[in-house]
Each structure stands twice: as structure tokens, then as C-alpha cells.
Amino acid sequence: CPRNFCDVAFKKIVKERVGTHLTDKASDTAEVINGRLDALFQFVSGIARTPVLRDKSVSYAEKSQYLHREAMANNTILRIGVADLNGNLHTYGSKVVNISAQSWFSEVMKDKIFVSKPFVSLIDNQLIMVIAVPVHDENRHIVDAINVSVSEKWLSEQVADIVVGKTGECYITGTSGECIAHKNFELVQNQWNAVEFAKKDSSFVSLSKFLQKVLKTEKSEVGYYNFKGETFIASFAKIPSTGWTVIIKAPINEFMGTVQTLRLSMYIIGVI
């Protein structure tokens, strides 16, 4: 076949194979992270059913001390606090702070399990994620709320070692496109958001359009965008329990060396 025609055909094959690989990788990663989050949900829900926490006669000092022991037994958890119905959060060894204005508390008061995006803790100014569940009495009335703090680095550690091609990487965005997990933790700390950056810097426009499509699309797809003169191929998958999105991307040129191999193979087959 004519060389140019073969090159186009081979590049199409390579892109399809790479796209399939990225899609599978994104879906697998989303499934793994969802499973690990579910394990934390189950752990926290189990604690909430503990009799000492459901007993109104037990003081919050005693409850927070019990929760401290539970937190020490799990390396993933920074601390566990218990909030009363007025939003006063009691945590062992820390001052009582009022968190009634925080979104996790209002959601739990609606009898929901909640997981937060990264935010700065009122207790020690660390960047944390919160998993929270209600505590019910024997009549299924909400009496308290359990608040489990996990370092935001935990989520970034789940994707830090995922590499595609030579420099391809994986990261997680929140429901508004903000970066909530990345091997470059500074992007998480700054809540980097390409959609917002594109409003000030035109070099982010292509990436912004890709992310906006990602946020509106439930089914995993492959997409392309340009950034700083380079074309990237990317795929994504939703994390069911949170609605966050796993994105895996890599420069498309890193895979184009395969075209030469395919072309050579076809020539050899043709000669034979």
C-alpha cells in the first residue's frame, strides 16, 4: 500500500489500542479506589453502631477517648471525632470546635453517609478528607455524628505510582474539575482547576474543554487535547460512590514509535 496511506492506517490502529488500554486502566483504577473507599465506609459505619457511642449517658470525653483508640488501630486514619446535634465536634486531645456550617455535618443530619473533597481542618489546619456517618439510637433517631479524618495524601497515594507510556500519569478530579488527587501534591493543595485557569490563560482552553466534557459524561471515553504544543490522549472513569473522576493521560507521541514496528511487520508479511 502507499506509504502515506499505511502510516495513517497504522496510526489509527495505535490510537485505538492506546485508547482501549487507557480506558481499561481508568476503569480499573476507579474500581479499586471505590473499593477502598467502601472499606472505609464500612469501618466507620461499624464504629457508629458501637453501644458506647449510642449511649446518651456516656460523656463526650469518654466517647472521644474510645474513638481515639479506634483511630490508632488504623494507619489510614488521622483521627475520629464525634459531633453532637448542635455541631460541636469533640476530638480526643483537641479543643471542641463548632462545625455546624460544614457540608458534611448538614448531610449527616439528613441521615446520609458523606465523603468530602479536600479541605483545611479547623483543628490543625491540615488538608484532610472527611468520611462521616450518623449515630442512631435504638429507635433509629440520630443522636450524634461520627467524623473520620483521613489525610488527603492518602487519595493521592492511590494514583501516584500509575504510569502509562513513559510520562503518562493518573489523577482524580472533583465534581467541579478541581484536582483532588495527584502525584504532584502541590496541585491538590492549590485545588488546581484547568477549567478556571482557562479563563485567564488560553493555553488551558483545550484541556478545559476536555475536562468539561468529562464532567458531563458518565460513560468512559477517550479524548484528545493540546497543551503547551503537545497532543495528549486521555481516558476517564467515574468513581461510583463519590462521583469523582479518574483521568489517565499521556502524550500521544510516546506511542507513535509503534507505527514503525507495525509498518515493518506489514512489509515483511507482504514480502512473504
Side-chain angles (χ1 to χ4, degrees):
C1 61
R3 182 169 180 172
N4 289 340
F5 177 80
C6 287
D7 284 351
V8 171
F10 293 152
K11 286 180 180 179
K12 182 179 179 182
I13 293 171
V14 170
K15 286 183 178 181
E16 288 176 351
R17 289 183 177 179
V18 173
T20 299
H21 174 63
L22 292 182
T23 301
D24 290 343
K25 194 77 172 178
S27 297
D28 290 345
T29 302
E31 185 177 340
V32 168
I33 293 174
N34 192 67
R36 291 173 182 173
L37 286 170
D38 280 345
L40 284 174
F41 295 157
Q42 292 174 18
F43 173 77
V44 178
S45 295
I47 290 176
R49 292 191 292 270
T50 305
V52 68
L53 297 179
R54 303 172 70 178
D55 190 341
K56 295 179 182 179
S57 66
V58 178
S59 69
Y60 283 103
E62 293 175 286
K63 290 179 180 179
S64 61
Q65 189 171 32
Y66 166 78
L67 292 172
H68 174 68
R69 291 194 296 268
E70 291 293 322
M72 292 300 98
N74 191 315
N75 293 331
T76 301
I77 293 172
L78 292 175
R79 57 183 169 269
I80 308 176
V82 55
D84 59 34
L85 297 181
N86 294 317
N88 297 308
L89 181 64
H90 306 260
T91 308
Y92 180 80
S94 301
K95 63 181 180 180
V96 177
V97 295
N98 189 277
I99 44 73
S100 58
Q102 293 186 355
S103 56
W104 72 262
F105 181 74
S106 59
E107 288 299 302
V108 169
M109 289 296 103
K110 298 174 186 176
D111 207 6
K112 298 179 180 179
I113 295 177
F114 181 86
V115 57
S116 77
K117 296 183 293 186
F119 68 97
V120 177
S121 168
L122 291 175
I123 294 177
D124 57 11
N125 294 320
Q126 284 194 69
L127 192 64
I128 61 170
M129 287 171 47
V130 159
I131 296 172
V133 299
V135 178
H136 299 97
D137 62 16
E138 60 277 5
N139 297 315
R140 292 293 300 172
H141 296 140
I142 297 175
V143 293
D144 285 320
I146 297 297
N147 166 302
V148 175
S149 298
V150 178
S151 170
E152 170 52 21
K153 287 185 178 180
W154 174 81
L155 191 59
S156 292
E157 288 167 355
Q158 309 306 306
V159 300
D161 60 351
I162 296 176
V163 179
V164 179
K166 296 178 182 178
T167 62
E169 60 189 9
C170 176
Y171 61 99
I172 301 175
T173 65
T175 54
S176 299
E178 69 279 25
C179 182
I180 62 173
H182 199 287
K183 66 180 182 181
N184 181 359
F185 193 64
E186 186 175 341
L187 295 177
V188 180
Q189 291 175 310
N190 295 330
Q191 296 190 345
W192 181 82
N193 189 327
V195 176
E196 295 301 318
F197 265 73
K199 297 175 182 178
K200 304 175 183 178
D201 188 338
S202 60
S203 66
F204 288 89
V205 169
S206 181
L207 174 56
S208 173
K209 290 180 179 178
F210 170 74
L211 284 177
Q212 290 180 64
K213 181 180 180 181
V214 165
L215 296 175
K216 297 175 182 177
T217 308
E218 291 298 322
K219 187 178 179 181
S220 298
E221 293 182 9
V222 174
Y224 300 87
Y225 64 87
N226 298 310
F227 184 64
K228 293 184 177 179
E230 193 164 19
T231 300
F232 288 83
I233 181 173
S235 187
F236 58 90
K238 299 292 185 183
I239 301 174
S241 59
T242 61
W244 302 337
T245 307
V246 171
I247 298 176
I248 295 184
K249 58 95 172 178
I252 188 64
N253 286 337
E254 291 186 1
F255 303 97
M256 287 300 105
T258 310
V259 172
Q260 181 64 32
T261 302
L262 283 172
R263 183 194 302 132
L264 181 60
S265 298
M266 291 298 291
Y267 287 162
I268 291 174
I269 292 171
V271 171
I272 293 174

